Amino acid sequence: MAAEGGGKEMNEIKTQFTTREGVYKLLTHSEYSRPNRVPFNSQGSNPVKVSFVNVNDQSGNGDRICFNVGRELYFYIYKGVRKAADLSKPIDKRVYKGTQPTCHDFNPITATAESVCLLVGFSAGQVQLIDPIKKETSKLFNEERLIDKSRVTCVRWVPGSESLFLVAHSSGSMYLYNVENTCGTTAPHYQLLKQGENYAVHTCKSKSARNPLLRWTVGEGALNEFAFSPDGKFLACASQDGFLRVFGFDAAELHGTMKSYFGGLLCVCWSPDGRYIVAGGEDDLVTVWSFSDCRVIARGHGHKSWVSVVAFDHCTTSVEDGDLPAEFSGSDEEFHEQIHFGVGRDRANSAHSRLSKRNSTDSRPVSVTYRFGSVGQDTQMCLWDLTEDILFPHLPLSRTRTHTNVMSATSPPATGQTTTTTTTTTTTTATATATVPATNPSGTNGKDNTSNSSTSGNPPNSLPSTLPRSNSLPHSSNPTGGSTPNSHTGSSSTTAAAASSSTTTTTSTSTKANSIIDSAFIATGVSKFATLSLHDSRKERHEKDHKRNHSMGHISSKSSDKLNQLSSTRTAKAEAAKTLGTLLCPRMEDVPLLEPLVCKKIAHERLTVLIFLEDCLVTACQEGFVCTWARPGKVGLLSSQNNPANSPSGTVV
């Protein structure tokens, strides 16, 4: 893996990689950048961001791309896997003075071949509404910086709206705007509308309609990114204080929260069906959070630096609503009470109906497989699969015979009840643990439990033989908090400690333990998954590094530098100490740890963009290069005619 070592292989840029679907290839002639293709000197500049829109052009070439590089903003026809990029003919190019574009977003509802509405946020706090096709600048919001003087971190159109948009700032505030309203000539006055734990929503007091309509104050420090759920009803916010907060958008009510392992959260995204949220940040991890259960269900460790972008792949994600298998004969009525989110984001609809066919690699029916990706400041791209043994650890496949039913006594419940731990539970756990051959010569130190389980060298004892192996470490069968007896040997004391520390009542507004109809999923081609055994020793080192650095000071060291003066470092340390080991932030050994399917170095500078499209995936780095990776079988004419040297130039691993 390009992620490992410090030698020459670190500088080798991968141009293709293989997953179970086939080979993804970098299309060098489809690279978008500044017209001169000169690498941008990224020191001190804002991250390169990319936005797409489809204008429903009758010619079949309706995709448009916008990206910012330094002080410049470009707008091109995006030809993707079909034709080579022509950088000499941008539809629009803008160069700004005194401020830099930081983020942008198209309105997919109003986009036509003759006109598109593009919002652009800036480093000085302004938001501009432009039409890069008509070459018009229609409006400038927060022009006098009376609303907020801090950098715009994220801007999004409200789903389904032609006029409402939401803007987040590094001050920690979000503002709801209406394009029809002015911003006024004086600073706005606010009136409290709703207040909750570490958030408040204010309305703007004014005799006439003016912006902003609402001001959200969320957490402490910068609000780095937010994302609307696919149905537009919920809003997930990733903040520099390390908290993920999920709100009901219309009612401005807090649905649930999650805390990073340490440091700030930098990015967040929703699964296409709205059931799961993935967040990444300064703890170098990707964290999977269940919307219905309001708890962490898995973490992924593959990056060596901060995770800058996470995104779900709607074309490889498969969710089948099949018949309930015969094994489900218990009290799982929640399987019938599903939350149906529409996949209403642009581009998701056409591919979603074909998802299940693409993943049916076995005669057994596939029910649930989520694919998501992440890119980071370590210049690496990781792809992850979230499979049934992670999503549904309570599958009644010989559970009672393998003694893993004792986990129910030590795991935080999904039904909002308080967990209680008794001496009998601990004894039972210890007995179940003793049935596994001891593979922990270093003792029962809680800091080493995770790494020891990953190097146990005893796969049959790691998971029941009837369960499918996924791209996760051996203790992936653990549903929530508490140690898995079959993978953590000699850890009865840790199990008891984890159980006692997780006696927290969840604030979930939904009590659905499992919200997707499930049927048996047997993964074929396990050898094509992430190398489970080859890198166990490496993962052991990384896990020990995570644990070794895990002091109270280290938890807040990265985030405290950027926090506002709202709280002291002492407060941040105290908060971290309170949350670790609870439902907000389970310990590393308490949740399954995913390994990436793919982990490749694909750039020389830090990566800032990852977008999944129907025929390809798009990445971008801070040098200003926007790269297109063709999906398996989607290379088309571009590879065979315009770029004959593309295939042999890459490295397939």
Side-chain angles (χ1 to χ4, degrees):
M1 290 168 58
E4 305 294 339
K8 295 181 180 179
E9 70 274 7
M10 284 295 290
N11 296 319
E12 182 183 355
I13 303 299
K14 301 296 181 182
T15 58
Q16 57 189 52
F17 57 87
T18 303
T19 66
R20 68 174 182 276
E21 307 95 59
V23 181
Y24 290 75
K25 296 182 179 180
L26 175 65
L27 303 181
T28 55
H29 281 60
S30 289
E31 181 180 87
Y32 288 78
S33 65
R34 297 191 297 175
N36 56 12
R37 292 189 182 274
V38 175
F40 174 68
N41 182 5
S42 60
Q43 296 297 325
S45 65
N46 289 286
V48 174
K49 295 293 179 69
V50 174
S51 296
F52 284 98
V53 69
N54 191 292
V55 298
N56 301 314
D57 193 351
Q58 298 299 323
S59 66
N61 194 19
D63 290 332
R64 303 291 183 266
I65 183 174
C66 171
F67 58 92
N68 61 289
V69 182
R71 297 185 296 113
E72 303 165 3
L73 187 75
Y74 292 93
F75 181 72
Y76 282 95
I77 294 176
Y78 181 70
K79 300 177 181 179
V81 301
R82 296 179 299 276
K83 295 181 181 179
D86 185 3
L87 299 183
S88 64
K89 298 178 181 178
I91 299 177
D92 194 16
K93 173 189 175 183
R94 296 170 187 247
V95 181
Y96 296 94
K97 296 181 180 179
T99 185
Q100 294 184 3
T102 59
C103 51
H104 32 82
D105 189 43
F106 288 104
N107 192 328
I109 298 178
T110 60
T112 65
E114 294 77 32
S115 173
V116 295
C117 292
L118 177 66
L119 289 169
V120 184
F122 291 91
S123 56
Q126 303 95 334
V127 178
Q128 191 179 34
L129 175 64
I130 61 176
D131 188 333
I133 296 180
K134 292 183 177 180
K135 306 287 196 304
E136 294 178 354
T137 301
S138 52
K139 283 192 177 181
L140 185 61
F141 302 93
N142 193 28
E143 181 177 5
E144 302 298 328
R145 305 171 69 204
L146 297 172
I147 297 173
D148 200 305
K149 293 181 169 59
S150 63
R151 176 174 53 94
V152 176
T153 56
C154 187
V155 60
R156 292 276 187 274
W157 290 96
V158 174
S161 175
E162 297 183 5
S163 57
L164 298 178
F165 63 93
L166 194 61
V167 182
H169 290 258
S170 59
S171 63
S173 295
M174 284 189 303
Y175 301 91
L176 181 65
Y177 287 82
N178 188 325
V179 294
E180 306 298 333
N181 296 351
T182 63
C183 290
T185 56
T186 59
H189 296 278
Y190 297 103
Q191 181 175 355
L192 182 64
L193 176 66
K194 179 162 287 189
Q195 192 168 16
E197 185 177 358
N198 283 321
Y199 83 97
V201 182
H202 293 79
T203 57
C204 183
K205 293 172 59 178
S206 177
K207 294 181 179 179
S208 59
R210 63 162 290 178
N211 285 317
L213 304 178
L214 294 176
R215 181 186 73 176
W216 294 60
T217 306
V218 181
E220 298 174 350
L223 203 164
N224 291 319
E225 189 178 35
F226 63 83
F228 283 99
S229 62
D231 65 351
K233 295 180 180 179
F234 292 90
L235 183 71
C237 301
S239 298
Q240 188 61 37
D241 62 5
F243 279 90
L244 167 73
R245 297 176 177 89
V246 182
F247 298 94
F249 182 62
D250 291 336
E253 292 181 348
L254 185 64
H255 171 78
T257 58
M258 183 270 289
K259 175 73 170 62
S260 68
Y261 197 66
F262 58 80
L265 285 179
L266 305 177
C267 50
V268 63
C269 68
W270 292 78
S271 64
D273 57 3
R275 301 179 195 276
Y276 301 99
I277 297 173
V278 172
E282 297 176 356
D283 53 9
D284 305 351
L285 303 171
V286 292
T287 304
V288 185
W289 190 80
S290 169
F291 174 83
S292 59
D293 295 348
C294 291
R295 64 178 178 87
V296 176
I297 61 169
R299 289 190 179 103
H301 185 201
H303 288 283
K304 306 299 179 295
S305 186
W306 295 358
V307 180
S308 51
V309 181
V310 288
F312 273 88
D313 182 358
H314 56 270
C315 291
T316 313
T317 294
S318 167
V319 180
E320 279 189 13
D321 292 333
D323 295 331
L324 281 172
E327 292 89 353
F328 289 105
S329 57
S331 58
D332 288 334
E333 63 273 7
E334 52 270 334
F335 276 89
H336 301 281
E337 302 170 4
Q338 301 180 56
I339 305 173
H340 287 287
F341 284 112
V343 192
R345 303 299 276 175
D346 45 324
R347 303 174 178 273
N349 301 2
S350 59
H352 196 69
S353 60
R354 303 192 302 272
L355 299 184
S356 56
K357 299 178 183 178
R358 190 171 300 184
N359 282 279
S360 298
T361 56
D362 194 277
S363 59
R364 303 278 297 273
V366 175
S367 73
V368 183
T369 304
Y370 292 90
R371 167 71 57 80
F372 65 94
S374 58
V375 295
Q377 297 193 11
D378 56 358
T379 71
Q380 292 188 124
M381 175 176 63
C382 293
L383 296 181
W384 315 79
D385 263 4
L386 193 59
T387 50
E388 273 193 356
D389 56 338
I390 302 297
L391 301 174
F392 306 107
H394 296 293
L395 276 176
L397 300 176
S398 305
R399 283 295 179 184
T400 55
R401 293 194 296 273
T402 57
H403 295 285
T404 49
N405 58 335
V406 299
M407 286 190 297
S408 62
T410 59
S411 61
T415 57
Q417 298 174 354
T418 304
T419 309
T420 56
T421 308
T422 64
T423 308
T424 307
T425 303
T426 307
T427 306
T428 306
T429 307
T431 304
T433 305
T435 61
V436 184
T439 57
N440 186 4
S442 61
T444 59
N445 189 341
K447 290 187 177 183
D448 294 325
N449 279 334
T450 305
S451 56
N452 285 334
S453 67
S454 65
T455 58
S456 61
N458 194 3
N461 287 329
S462 301
L463 279 176
S465 58
T466 52
L467 279 178
R469 294 263 326 246
S470 76
N471 56 309
S472 54
L473 290 184
H475 59 290
S476 63
S477 61
N478 185 0
T480 53
S483 300
T484 306
N486 282 359
S487 61
H488 294 280
T489 58
S491 60
S492 59
S493 60
T494 307
T495 306
S500 61
S501 64
S502 58
T503 57
T504 308
T505 303
T506 177
T507 58
S508 169
T509 59
S510 172
T511 61
K512 298 174 179 60
N514 296 290
S515 54
I516 304 178
I517 292 183
D518 185 57
S519 60
F521 168 63
I522 303 297
T524 60
V526 174
S527 59
K528 292 184 180 180
F529 274 39
T531 51
L532 289 171
S533 57
L534 295 179
H535 299 285
D536 277 346
S537 59
R538 290 169 176 171
K539 288 298 173 185
E540 177 185 10
R541 290 200 302 271
H542 302 326
E543 270 309 304
K544 286 186 176 178
D545 288 342
H546 266 291
K547 293 299 182 182
R548 191 174 297 120
N549 293 331
H550 183 60
S551 62
M552 291 302 106
H554 190 73
I555 291 175
S556 58
S557 61
K558 291 181 179 179
S559 61
S560 61
D561 295 338
K562 298 180 181 180
L563 286 179
N564 284 347
Q565 301 301 319
L566 297 174
S567 68
S568 64
T569 306
R570 182 179 304 174
T571 306
K573 291 180 181 179
E575 288 299 319
K578 291 177 183 177
T579 58
L580 182 64
T582 67
L583 281 178
L584 284 176
C585 180
R587 299 180 186 275
M588 290 298 291
E589 61 267 25
D590 289 349
V591 294
L593 188 64
L594 302 177
E595 279 209 356
L597 290 171
V598 172
C599 188
K600 303 296 180 190
K601 177 182 174 68
I602 61 171
H604 288 296
E605 280 290 331
R606 66 184 187 271
L607 293 164
T608 57
V609 171
L610 175 62
I611 299 174
F612 290 95
L613 303 180
E614 199 161 333
D615 296 329
C616 59
L617 59 92
V618 177
T619 61
C621 69
Q622 194 55 27
E623 286 183 314
F625 297 117
V626 181
C627 299
T628 298
W629 301 76
R631 292 184 184 271
K634 299 290 186 180
V635 177
L637 298 175
L638 183 60
S639 175
S640 59
Q641 294 181 3
N642 297 342
N643 191 16
N646 186 33
S647 296
S649 66
T651 303
V652 181
V653 180

